[in-house]
């Protein structure tokens, strides 16, 4: 049985997604919608991680339910800097915050896609082994991942024309 | 005929009526004393633009000046009644403070100039920006105060002429959630209910809607039902002890920011007890199962804990909502400007969908507007949407708009949702939006987190044009100021919150060189030489009536169909409700009769958005979910607000309005009776909190949040514990220059509010910030300058009552039941 391996992968990818979201929230504090939503959506991944860790025990895999990915003191310093740049980029550099945002959103899209694929694998395995509990977990969490993905994608669509034409 | 001080008695004399009867007529008149005002030269038809109720009135004109107003007896909206703002507000037009000449900034100062210079300056700058960057450099921020013809023209210029997606109105602060909630549930904007539903209801539920102060004439209608036989029961959701709360059978005062939990608790009971219309749900809706599952998580006990209201009261309210026969619900800022705005407002729609209570007399939802002409901002696309409730995500509908405008559809930006106001200000902050044209609104006082807004608007690199009646906090920061003609100085139509269209005719000339907004836009289009795809002029009309005729064509076949209306028809009778077309020549009282929704994927205005993330629903997703055009039931879980009280900031701060003022007071503060009734800023605090902090009525206190602080006198009122209230009307234009409040920016409530908005409707949140309160000192012993007549009424004794005195005496003529009436 290699289900444990998939769970481990998924745990790692969710954790990476949460980290991307938190960093994006941090870096774009003055894009208030991005900031708040990225924080909210990171919570979804944290919840997935907790539930995964709980269930993984049955497959003899130990996963950390509360990985400590909060932005540390360095992160916070960067946050402050981003606030200043974000508010008033000097003339000529004003595209930077915008481009940075596009890059961050793109990374979230990619990462959420990876997570989505992993959930699909988990759901398939759960069906093959008739593990209702695991299937239930996948069915509850996977839609969240798709919403995270759609959010980042929609933000990219909305913001890119402005960033790329100015 | 009686005489009454309508400042002291805002709702006037009761004219009770029974369920199903016609609302009696009472004609209210206020004529300025002297000058023979009792014998005006003529009466000119109009309606009120100081709220969204659309009270029809006639303007008395004598020697070229306005001398008074009188409610129109035959109008379906008000049956002759006027509220205090209607009665006294018109006086502002004649104020000596009016802007009368264009101004341009030279050497850092605004100096007078002529129209040619000002307009050429704007045109030159526009062309330069279009060359350097393209349309993404240009944005328009309009209002809920102009007329339909003006919005439609602006919408064409922005979308079809310049090709910018950056167009929004201050209706974003006010009515965006109403529009979005309707789009979410019915896939299209458009008010389902009618004011006449009040005549038939047995329960009226007001969700975050202090109707007594925001639409006093509608409240008069409710009060008259309450005073008659078989009165309806009121359910009130509001953290303040408003007049509605005092009259309610059940008053729920939830902790601000918890509306979704409360609604889910109510729906839990209604669904759990089987008080639903199963057949209606199956035939006319999608999404019920998920709602059922979702609200299972919210038994009244859980909702009670989140909202801090007794579970028993939630049960009582649910029983009333669930077992009545005719339910009217209304919703306003208590939901729209609060956390999870759209999700909460949508649950009110759900309440009606699961009970099958739509489109019948007494069964209606009123998702209210704040601004008087907000409905037109939405219909005409001046809020960024495409005109005629066309769907930007449906290429066929965009092509249809291209046909109407005779422009290539690719010129109409539709690659994404329109840029909402908060985003435009963000782009300006970052420097990619470089010209902002503000019409008829005052963002330097009305937007959240004012210090940020001031810094955005005062940047050198932003070219700011402000078009208004008066100098304001925003004109101060402008590069060009254009003096506009106001209400009664120009002709046009507008539509109230229950889809009633009124014509408002020019009564007097504007002062000095001020011009109607329509003329300014037409002038701009001409100077810009905007063309259609055949090289003809893009804007093909030249005055209000020809603009209205053009709009009719744009609305043809769309939900808001105006083709059956004309200026002549509106002159003949009084207000008429859209859709009004060949099939419905007298207008349409209620939408969605028989469960027929405008949600067909090829016709609908919107595919909806994710309630939490705000991401637009993709066309394919929508088609899969709603192939047959039913109403969409969307559920939502409660999420805690982003800013929560803590040890440092233990209070929840909410902001709002008073009966006597409109918006940032540029008009109402210039009407002496209104200004005297609510002359200054105040802070409301509960008795419990006041005694804990040793605060007495009239003490000077300071309220602060991480963004700023405001000083004002304390009013100890019936607000719930843990919550502070500040009226948002007071800015800086009418305080002494160099005074403490001026220098410290310590008066406007929006110094304190946070920059955050609802993900779906993009409406900023004004009702959930964490704050602290500090007592500064006892003042002169006089009470807070807050009105005693409404929600800010003091709880303790000894505060003199708000009165208008002889200057506020108005006439009241109770005439009884109207002989004939449009409603059925
Ligand atoms: S004050 Fe009233 S009308 Fe003005 S934006 Fe706010 S809610 Fe709308």
């Amino acid at each position: 049985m290699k289900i444990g391996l998939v769970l481990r992968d998924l745990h790692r990818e969710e954790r990476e997604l949460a980290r991307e979201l938190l960093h994006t929230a941090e870096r774009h504090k003055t894009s208030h919608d991005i900031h708040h939503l990225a924080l909210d959506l990171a919570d979804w991944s944290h919840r997935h991680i907790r539930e995964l860790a709980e269930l993984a025990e049955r497959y003899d895999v130990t996963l950390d339910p509360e990985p400590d990915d909060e932005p540390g003191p360095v992160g916070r310093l960067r946050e402050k800097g981003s606030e200043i740049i974000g508010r008033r980029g000097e003339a000529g550099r004003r595209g930077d915050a915008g481009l940075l945002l596009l890059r961050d959103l793109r990374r979230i899209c990619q990462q959420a896609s990876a997570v989505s694929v992993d959930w699909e694998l988990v759901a398939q395995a759960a069906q093959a082994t008739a593990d209702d509990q695991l299937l239930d977990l996948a069915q509850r969490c996977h839609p969240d991942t798709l919403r995270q993905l759609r959010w980042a994608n929609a933000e990219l669509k909305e913001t890119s024309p402005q960033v790329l034409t100015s | 005929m009686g005489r009454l001080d309508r400042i002291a008695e805002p709702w006037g004399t009761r004219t009770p009526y029974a369920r199903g009867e016609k609302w009696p007529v009472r004609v209210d008149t206020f004529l300025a004393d002297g000058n023979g005002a009792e014998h005006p030269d003529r009466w000119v038809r109009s309606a009120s633009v100081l709220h969204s109720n659309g009270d029809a009135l006639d303007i008395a004109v004598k020697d070229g000046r306005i001398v008074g107003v009188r409610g129109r007896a035959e109008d379906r909206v008000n049956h002759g009644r006027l509220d205090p703002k209607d009665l006294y507000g018109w006086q502002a037009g004649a104020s000596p403070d009016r802007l009368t000449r264009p101004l341009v900034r030279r050497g850092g100062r605004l100096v007078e100039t002529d129209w040619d210079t000002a307009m050429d300056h704007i045109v030159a700058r526009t062309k330069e920006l279009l060359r350097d960057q393209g349309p993404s450099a240009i944005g328009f921020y309009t209002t809920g105060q102009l007329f339909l013809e003006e919005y439609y023209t602006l919408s064409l210029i922005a979308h079809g002429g310049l090709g910018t997606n950056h167009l929004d109105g201050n209706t974003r602060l006010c009515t965006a959630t109403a529009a979005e909630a309707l789009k979410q549930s019915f896939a299209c904007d458009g008010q389902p209910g009618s004011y006449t539903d009040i005549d038939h209801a047995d329960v009226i539920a007001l969700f975050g809607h202090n109707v007594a102060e925001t639409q006093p004439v509608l409240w008069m209608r409710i009060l008259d039902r309450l005073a008659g036989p078989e009165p309806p029961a009121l359910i009130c959701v509001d953290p303040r002890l408003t007049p509605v709360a005092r009259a309610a059978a059940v008053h729920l005062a939830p902790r601000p920011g918890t509306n979704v939990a409360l609604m889910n608790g109510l729906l839990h009971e209604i669904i759990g007890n089987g008080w639903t219309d199963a057949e209606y749900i199956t035939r006319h809706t999608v999404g019920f199962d998920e709602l059922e599952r979702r609200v299972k998580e919210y038994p009244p006990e859980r909702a009670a804990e989140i909202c801090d209201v007794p579970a028993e009261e939630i049960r009582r309210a649910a029983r009333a909502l669930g077992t009545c026969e005719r339910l009217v619900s209304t919703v306003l800022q208590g939901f729209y400007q609060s956390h999870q705005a759209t999700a909460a407002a949508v649950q009110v729609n759900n309440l009606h969908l699961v009970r099958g209570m739509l489109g019948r007399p007494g069964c209606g939802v009123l998702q209210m507007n704040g601004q008087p002409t907000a409905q037109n901002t939405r219909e005409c696309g001046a809020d960024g949407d495409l005109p005629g409730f066309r769907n930007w995500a449906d290429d066929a509908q965009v092509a249809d708009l291209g046909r109407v405008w005779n422009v290539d559809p690719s010129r109409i930006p539709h690659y994404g949702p329109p840029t909402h106001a908060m985003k435009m200000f963000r782009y300006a902050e970052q420097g990619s939006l470089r010209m902002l044209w503000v019409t008829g609104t005052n963002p330097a006082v009305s937007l959240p987190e004012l210090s940020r807004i001031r810094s955005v608007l005062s940047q050198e690199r932003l070219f700011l044009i402000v078009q208004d009646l008066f100098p304001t906090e925003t004109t101060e920061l402008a590069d060009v100021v254009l003096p506009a003609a106001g209400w009664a100085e120009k002709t046009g139509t507008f539509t109230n919150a229950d889809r009633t269209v009124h014509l408002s005719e020019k009564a007097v000339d504007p002062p000095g060189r001020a011009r109607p907004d329509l003329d300014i836009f037409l002038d701009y289009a001409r100077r810009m030489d905007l063309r259609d795809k055949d090289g003809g002029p893009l804007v093909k009309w030249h005055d209000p009536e020809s603009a209205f005729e053009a709009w009719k064509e744009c609305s043809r076949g769309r939900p808001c169909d105006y083709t059956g209306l004309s200026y002549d028809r509106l002159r003949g009778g009084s207000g008429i409700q859209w859709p009004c077309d060949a099939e419905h020549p007298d207008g349409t009282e209620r939408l969605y009769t028989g469960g027929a929704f405008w949600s067909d994927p090829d016709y609908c205005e919107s595919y909806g958005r994710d309630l939490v993330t705000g991401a637009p629903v993709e066309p394919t997703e929508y088609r899969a979910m709603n192939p047959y055009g039913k109403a969409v039931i969307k559920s939502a879980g409660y999420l805690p607000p982003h800013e929560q009280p803590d040890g440092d900031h233990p209070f929840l701060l909410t902001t709002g309005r008073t009966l006597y003022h409109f918006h940032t007071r540029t008009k109402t503060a210039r009407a002496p009776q209104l200004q005297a009734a609510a002359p200054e800023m105040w802070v409301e605090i509960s008795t419990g909190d006041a005694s804990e902090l040793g605060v007495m009525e009239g003490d000077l206190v300071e309220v602060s949040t991480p963004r700023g602080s405001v000083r004002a006198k304390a009013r100890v009122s019936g607000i719930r514990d843990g919550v502070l209230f500040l009226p948002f009307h007071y800015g800086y234009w009418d305080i002494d220059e160099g005074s403490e409040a001026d220098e410290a920016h310590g008066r406007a409530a929006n110094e304190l509010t946070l920059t955050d908005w609802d993900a779906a409707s993009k409406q900023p949140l004004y009702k959930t910030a964490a704050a602290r309160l500090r007592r500064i000192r006892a003042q002169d012993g006089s009470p807070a300058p807050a009105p005693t007549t409404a929600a800010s009424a003091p709880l303790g004794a000894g505060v003199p009552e708000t009165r208008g005195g002889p200057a506020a005496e108005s006439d009241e003529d109770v005439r009884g039941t109207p002989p004939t009436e449009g409603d059925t």
Side-chain angles (χ1 to χ4, degrees), chain B residues 170 173-175 333 337 369-372 657 662-663 728-729:
Chain B
N170 68 9
L173 325 179
C174 148
T175 170
Q333 306 312 355
Q337 294 184 337
N369 308 347
Q371 292 267 6
R657 9 246 104 251
F662 176 66
H663 215 66
F728 98 108
H729 307 287

Side-chain angles (χ1 to χ4, degrees), chain B residues 791-811:
Chain B
S792 55
L795 275 199
V799 176
E801 280 170 29
T802 300
R803 310 215 141 273
E809 296 235 322
S810 304
D811 293 322

Side-chain angles (χ1 to χ4, degrees), chain A residues 5 7 11 18 24 31 48 85-86 95 101 111 123 145 151:
Chain A
L5 283 180
L7 293 182
H11 181 266
T24 301
S31 283
H48 296 175
I85 297 175
L101 177 59
Q111 191 55 35
T145 313
W151 168 75

